[in-house]
Amino acid sequence: MKANTISLEHGAGGEVMQALIGEIILKNFRNKSAGSIGLESLDDGSTIRLENFNPVSELVLTTDSHVITPAFFPDTNIGRLAVSGTINDLTVMGAKPLALTCAVIVPEGFPILDFEEIIKTMDETATEVGVPIITGDTKTVEKTALDSIILNTAGLGITDSPIRDSGLKPGDKLLVTGTIGDHGISLMAHREGFDFDTDLASDSAPLWKLIEPVLKLRTPEGTPLITAMKDPTRGGLANALNEMAAKAGAGILLEEDLIPFKPAVTAACEMLGLDPLEVANEGKAIIGVKAGFEEKVLSLLRQHPYGKDAALIGEVTLENKGEVILRNRFGGMRYVDIPAGDPIPRVC
Amino acid sequence: MKANTISLEHGAGGEVMQALIGEIILKNFRNKSAGSIGLESLDDGSTIRLENFNPVSELVLTTDSHVITPAFFPDTNIGRLAVSGTINDLTVMGAKPLALTCAVIVPEGFPILDFEEIIKTMDETATEVGVPIITGDTKTVEKTALDSIILNTAGLGITDSPIRDSGLKPGDKLLVTGTIGDHGISLMAHREGFDFDTDLASDSAPLWKLIEPVLKLRTPEGTPLITAMKDPTRGGLANALNEMAAKAGAGILLEEDLIPFKPAVTAACEMLGLDPLEVANEGKAIIGVKAGFEEKVLSLLRQHPYGKDAALIGEVTLENKGEVILRNRFGGMRYVDIPAGDPIPRVC
Ligand SMILES: Nc1ncnc2c1ncn2[C@@H]1O[C@H](COP(=O)(O)OP(=O)(O)OP(=O)(O)O)[C@@H](O)[C@H]1O
Ligand SMILES: Nc1ncnc2c1ncn2[C@@H]1O[C@H](COP(=O)(O)OP(=O)(O)OP(=O)(O)O)[C@@H](O)[C@H]1O
Ligand SMILES: [Mg+2]
Ligand SMILES: [Mg+2]
Ligand SMILES: [Mg+2]
Ligand SMILES: [Mg+2]
Ligand SMILES: [Mg+2]
Ligand SMILES: [Mg+2]
C-alpha cells in the first residue's frame, strides 16, 4: 500500500479498492471461509455449508452499505438501492433471498418524513421479491458528523448450485440484462442540475424474479446454462468484466455496437466526459451462458420488465487471457481497462 | 411521532428510539418474519426456519452498526466492539455464531495504519470464538462528510432452542455476567480526559465461549435453565431490564448491593453525574435462570475470565408487572425507569 491515508478511490470499486482489500483485509483475516465460496474468492457473497440439508444446498451471505448523496434521486431513493443491491448480490450467486437486515445511520436533523419514505421504499422493494426484512439497527450521529443517511443491508439466501463470478469458459456468450450506465449517469446529471427532459433515471431494481427462471434452465445433459454471473455496480461493466476475465483466466471480446445504451445516457456521457462502461449500474446483471443457449436465455429475460433490453454483448475467448477487448463497428479494437475506481463518487 | 426531525435520542437505545422503530419501521415493513422470532419481537436478532434440519434448528440473523468516537479507546478499538456486538446478539439468542460480515465506511484521510489495526482487532476478536468473517463491503466518503470510521457487522448463527428476551417468569433469578457500566463510563472518562489511574476500560468482549456451556445445562426434567437473555448495551441495565419486564409482563426486583460495579466506575459516575445503570455495556449479558439453579450457573460462568465477576442481582416478581424496582441496603425502593436514551452519545 503506497498511500498513508484512505482516499476516495479506496472505496470506489476499482483497482485501488481491490489492492486495499487484498493487502489489508485478506491478509489479516485468518478465518474467512464457512463453505465452498469464502472471502478469498472475492465474489458477490460467500457461502455457508450446513449439514443435513436435503437437497444439498448452501446458504449465501452478503452485505453492502450505501452512502449515496443525495439520498433522493431520479426516480427513487437510497432505500430501493440498498434493498436491491443486497438482493442482487444474492441473485448473482444463484441464491434465493431468504431474509434481509436493515441498519440505518441517521444524522441529527434528518427529516422524519424522509426517513419514513425511505423505509417505505425499502418495504416496497423487498415486497417485490417477497423477502422479509427481519432485523435491523438504528444509530444516530451529530449533525456535523455525517452529511446524509447511510444504510447497510445484509442478506441471507439459499442455493443448491451457487454461481461464481469466476466460472466463464472460452466460447461462452456474454449477456447483459439491460441498458448500461443508467444509474451513475443519471445521478451525475441530477447532481449537476442537467435536465435532459428524458427518462434518465436510476435503474435500481431487485433482480431475483428476473433471474430465478433462468437459473432453472438446464442443458439436455442437465447442467445449468449459466456459467458465471455478476452485477456490474461500482466501476461498471469495465470493472466487473475485468474481474470475471481475470478470475476465469480467459479473454472477453465485446462488440461495442451490441452494448445497449439509452440515448440520454450516451448524450449525457458526452456532455460530462464520462465513460458509461465505468459507471455503476444498480439493476443489471452480466450473465455468462453456454454457447448455443444464449437466445433461449435472452428470450426468457425479455419477458420480464427488468430484462426487456437484455442483449448479447460479446463472448469469452481463449486468447487475451485476463483482458477485456472492445471491438467497434469498423473492426477497431481497444482494451477496456480496469478503472482505478468508479469516476462518480458516492454513487451507491 | 411528535418531532419533525431526527434527534440523537432516536438512535440512543431508549424510549425515544423504541417509539421510532415502533411507529415507523414496524408499521411500514409488511413482511418481517422468516421463522419463530420475527422483527415484531424486537429481540436481539430474528430467526429463519429452514426445512430438513436435523435436529430441528433455526438460523438467527442479527446486525449492528458502530459509530463510536473516538475509534480507539481504552483498551481497544471499534473493531473489537463491532465483532463482539454481533457475536453477543447471537449469543443471547442462544445461537452458535456461524459467520460474520464486515462492512466499513471510511472518511478520506483516515490513516491506513489505523485501518489495518482495526481490521486486525476484528480478526482477533472473531478468532476468540472461532467464527469466520466471510464477506464485506468497503465504502469511502469525503473528509467533510463523516468524522470517523463506521463499521457494520451482521451475523448468522444456529440454535436448536432459541432464547428470547421475553421469557422471564415470576420466581426466576436474574444474573449478570460481570461488572456494570464499564464501557460507557470508561469512554466518557476517556473523552473528558480524566485519568483515574485505574483499570477503567471498555468491557467489550465476545461472550459466546462464556455462554455456550450454560446453554447446555438442563433441569432434571430436561428443560433449559436459561429462561431469557439479553445484552445490556445502549441504555444499559435500566433499558434492557425494562424491556425484559415489559415483554414478560412481570416485575423485576433488583438488590442494589448485589449489582457489581468497579470502584473506578462508581467514582467516575459521581464525578460525571451519570447513572451506571443507564450506560452501555459491551461484554455483558443478563441471564434469567430458573430458581434453584442460579448457583450452578454462576459457578460455571465464574470459570471463564469474562464471567469472573458474575453475580445474582435480583429476581422476577408477580407484582409490579412491567416495572423494574431497585431496593437499597436499607430496604428503600425506587423505580428504575426506562431511559429516554443512553446518556452518553456515540457510545457504540
Ligand atoms: N471490508 C471488507 N471486509 C471483508 N471483505 C470485504 C470488505 N470489502 C469488500 N470485501 C469483499 O471484497 C469483494 C468485493 O466487494 P464489493 O463491495 O466490490 O462487491 P459487491 O458488493 O459485489 O460490489 P458493490 O459494493 O459495488 O455492490 C467481496 O467479496 C466482498 O466480500
Ligand atoms: N432500522 C431498523 N430496521 C429494522 N429493525 C430495527 C431497526 N433498528 C432497530 N431494529 C430492531 O429493533 C430492536 C432493537 O434494536 P437494538 O439495536 O436496540 O437491539 P440490539 O442490537 O440488541 O442493541 P444495540 O444496538 O444497542 O447493540 C431489534 O429487534 C432490531 O432488530
Ligand atoms: Mg456484486
Ligand atoms: Mg453489491
Ligand atoms: Mg442494534
Ligand atoms: Mg442486543
Ligand atoms: Mg446489539
Ligand atoms: Mg459491496
Side-chain angles (χ1 to χ4, degrees):
Chain A
M1 198 67 37
K2 274 163 259 142
N4 292 320
T5 60
I6 294 288
S7 68
L8 285 183
E9 282 183 338
H10 283 114
E15 212 165 17
V16 177
M17 188 181 86
Q18 279 170 28
L20 183 80
I21 292 169
E23 289 168 38
I24 295 199
I25 292 175
L26 288 188
K27 277 204 187 132
N28 284 300
F29 283 172
R30 282 167 285 179
N31 193 358
K32 39 186 181 276
S33 176
S36 66
I37 304 177
L39 185 58
E40 61 293 336
S41 299
L42 297 175
D43 209 325
D44 302 281
S46 288
T47 68
I48 299 159
R49 194 179 291 118
L50 287 178
E51 305 300 317
N52 304 315
F53 259 138
N54 185 13
V56 177
S57 296
E58 281 193 293
L59 298 168
V60 177
L61 187 64
T62 193
T63 187
D64 266 325
S65 303
H66 284 89
V67 298
I68 191 169
T69 51
F72 290 78
F73 48 85
D75 294 320
T76 185
N77 64 56
I78 189 172
R80 181 164 173 92
L81 204 60
V83 170
S84 297
T86 289
I87 288 171
N88 294 349
D89 277 324
L90 294 175
T91 298
V92 296
M93 298 295 297
K96 177 188 165 72
L98 293 174
L100 300 183
T101 67
C102 164
V104 302
I105 301 165
V106 206
E108 230 182 335
F110 194 83
I112 288 189
L113 283 177
D114 287 354
F115 181 79
E116 183 159 23
E117 193 169 336
I118 290 167
I119 292 294
K120 283 184 169 156
T121 303
M122 294 184 82
D123 174 67
E124 279 160 21
T125 312
T127 298
E128 263 192 53
V129 308
V131 59
I133 302 175
I134 64 170
T135 190
D137 182 64
T138 304
K139 295 284 185 308
T140 49
V141 297
E142 307 85 337
K143 206 189 281 273
T144 52
L146 176 65
D147 67 347
S148 192
I149 190 170
I150 292 176
L151 300 184
N152 175 283
T153 48
L156 186 74
I158 189 166
T159 175
D160 57 9
S161 40
I163 295 176
R164 293 166 180 265
D165 60 7
S166 61
L168 292 178
K169 294 273 176 306
D172 288 354
K173 300 296 178 184
L174 281 169
L175 316 181
V176 291
T177 59
T179 53
I180 294 302
D182 301 18
H183 176 73
I185 299 301
S186 72
L187 184 74
M188 193 65 179
H190 176 63
R191 283 186 191 155
E192 300 290 323
F194 295 143
D195 180 6
F196 288 92
D197 203 18
T198 64
D199 59 347
L200 194 56
S202 170
D203 60 357
S204 179
L207 298 180
W208 172 247
K209 293 286 178 193
L210 169 68
I211 301 295
E212 184 182 22
V214 182
L215 290 171
K216 294 184 180 145
L217 297 178
R218 293 287 181 277
T219 64
E221 296 76 41
T223 50
L225 298 193
I226 300 185
T227 58
M229 192 154 43
K230 192 164 193 67
D231 55 337
T233 50
R234 292 177 290 167
L237 216 56
N239 186 64
L241 290 174
N242 269 285
E243 262 192 78
M244 295 175 88
K247 287 177 178 178
I252 287 177
L253 179 64
L254 299 177
E255 303 294 342
E256 189 166 39
D257 271 9
L258 298 181
I259 304 175
F261 296 109
K262 292 208 164 113
V265 167
T266 308
C269 271
E270 276 165 23
M271 199 155 168
L272 298 163
L274 291 167
D275 179 353
L277 295 183
E278 295 192 351
V279 307
N281 308 277
E282 296 290 342
K284 299 291 151 53
I286 301 166
I287 310 181
V289 178
K290 280 184 197 299
F293 298 96
E294 61 274 19
E295 284 306 325
K296 187 167 183 175
V297 173
L298 278 173
S299 69
L300 195 53
L301 289 172
R302 288 179 184 142
Q303 286 171 30
H304 191 284
Y306 297 151
K308 68 178 171 20
D309 299 318
L312 172 74
I313 62 166
E315 61 180 21
V316 183
T317 60
L318 247 179
E319 55 276 16
N320 300 307
K321 287 195 203 319
E323 305 283 5
V324 181
I325 291 172
L326 185 71
R327 180 160 59 192
N328 69 22
R329 77 185 69 176
F330 310 108
M333 311 258 217
R334 73 164 175 96
Y335 286 111
V336 176
D337 292 324
I338 176 169
D342 196 294
I344 305 171
R346 295 187 70 175
V347 74
C348 64
Chain B
M1 197 67 40
K2 274 165 255 140
N4 292 321
T5 60
I6 294 288
S7 68
L8 286 183
E9 282 183 338
H10 283 113
E15 209 165 21
V16 177
M17 189 181 86
Q18 279 170 30
L20 183 81
I21 292 169
E23 288 168 40
I24 295 200
I25 292 176
L26 289 187
K27 276 204 187 132
N28 283 300
F29 284 173
R30 282 166 285 179
N31 193 357
K32 40 186 181 275
S33 177
S36 65
I37 304 177
L39 185 59
E40 61 292 335
S41 299
L42 297 175
D43 209 324
D44 302 281
S46 287
T47 68
I48 299 160
R49 193 179 292 119
L50 287 179
E51 304 301 317
N52 302 315
F53 260 138
N54 183 17
V56 177
S57 296
E58 281 193 293
L59 299 168
V60 177
L61 188 63
T62 192
T63 188
D64 266 326
S65 304
H66 285 89
V67 298
I68 191 169
T69 52
F72 291 78
F73 48 85
D75 295 317
T76 186
N77 64 57
I78 189 172
R80 181 165 173 91
L81 203 61
V83 170
S84 297
T86 289
I87 288 171
N88 293 349
D89 277 324
L90 294 176
T91 297
V92 297
M93 297 295 296
K96 176 188 167 71
L98 293 174
L100 300 183
T101 68
C102 164
V104 302
I105 301 164
V106 205
E108 235 182 330
F110 195 82
I112 289 190
L113 283 177
D114 287 354
F115 181 79
E116 183 159 23
E117 193 169 336
I118 290 166
I119 292 295
K120 283 184 169 156
T121 303
M122 294 184 82
D123 174 67
E124 280 159 22
T125 313
T127 297
E128 264 193 52
V129 309
V131 59
I133 302 176
I134 64 170
T135 190
D137 182 64
T138 304
K139 295 285 186 308
T140 49
V141 297
E142 306 85 338
K143 207 188 281 275
T144 52
L146 176 64
D147 67 347
S148 191
I149 190 170
I150 292 177
L151 300 184
N152 176 284
T153 48
L156 186 73
I158 189 167
T159 177
D160 57 9
S161 40
I163 295 177
R164 293 166 181 265
D165 60 6
S166 61
L168 294 178
K169 292 276 177 306
D172 288 353
K173 300 297 177 182
L174 280 169
L175 315 182
V176 290
T177 59
T179 53
I180 293 302
D182 301 18
H183 176 73
I185 298 302
S186 72
L187 184 75
M188 193 64 177
H190 176 63
R191 282 187 192 155
E192 300 290 324
F194 295 144
D195 179 7
F196 288 93
D197 202 18
T198 65
D199 60 346
L200 194 57
S202 171
D203 61 356
S204 179
L207 299 180
W208 172 247
K209 294 287 177 190
L210 169 69
I211 300 295
E212 184 182 21
V214 182
L215 290 170
K216 294 183 180 147
L217 298 178
R218 293 287 181 278
T219 64
E221 296 75 40
T223 50
L225 299 193
I226 300 185
T227 57
M229 193 154 40
K230 191 164 194 68
D231 56 336
T233 50
R234 293 178 290 168
L237 216 57
N239 187 63
L241 289 175
N242 269 286
E243 261 191 79
M244 294 174 88
K247 287 176 177 179
I252 286 177
L253 180 64
L254 299 176
E255 303 294 341
E256 188 165 40
D257 272 7
L258 298 181
I259 304 176
F261 296 109
K262 290 206 165 114
V265 167
T266 308
C269 271
E270 275 166 23
M271 200 156 168
L272 297 163
L274 290 167
D275 180 354
L277 295 182
E278 294 192 352
V279 307
N281 308 276
E282 295 291 341
K284 299 290 152 55
I286 301 166
I287 309 181
V289 178
K290 280 185 198 297
F293 298 95
E294 60 275 18
E295 284 306 325
K296 186 168 185 176
V297 173
L298 278 174
S299 68
L300 194 53
L301 289 171
R302 288 180 184 142
Q303 287 171 31
H304 192 285
Y306 296 151
K308 68 178 171 21
D309 299 317
L312 171 75
I313 61 166
E315 61 180 21
V316 183
T317 61
L318 246 178
E319 55 277 18
N320 300 308
K321 287 193 202 323
E323 305 283 3
V324 181
I325 291 172
L326 185 72
R327 179 159 59 190
N328 68 23
R329 76 185 70 177
F330 311 108
M333 311 257 217
R334 73 164 175 95
Y335 286 110
V336 177
D337 291 325
I338 176 169
D342 195 295
I344 304 171
R346 295 187 70 175
V347 75
C348 63

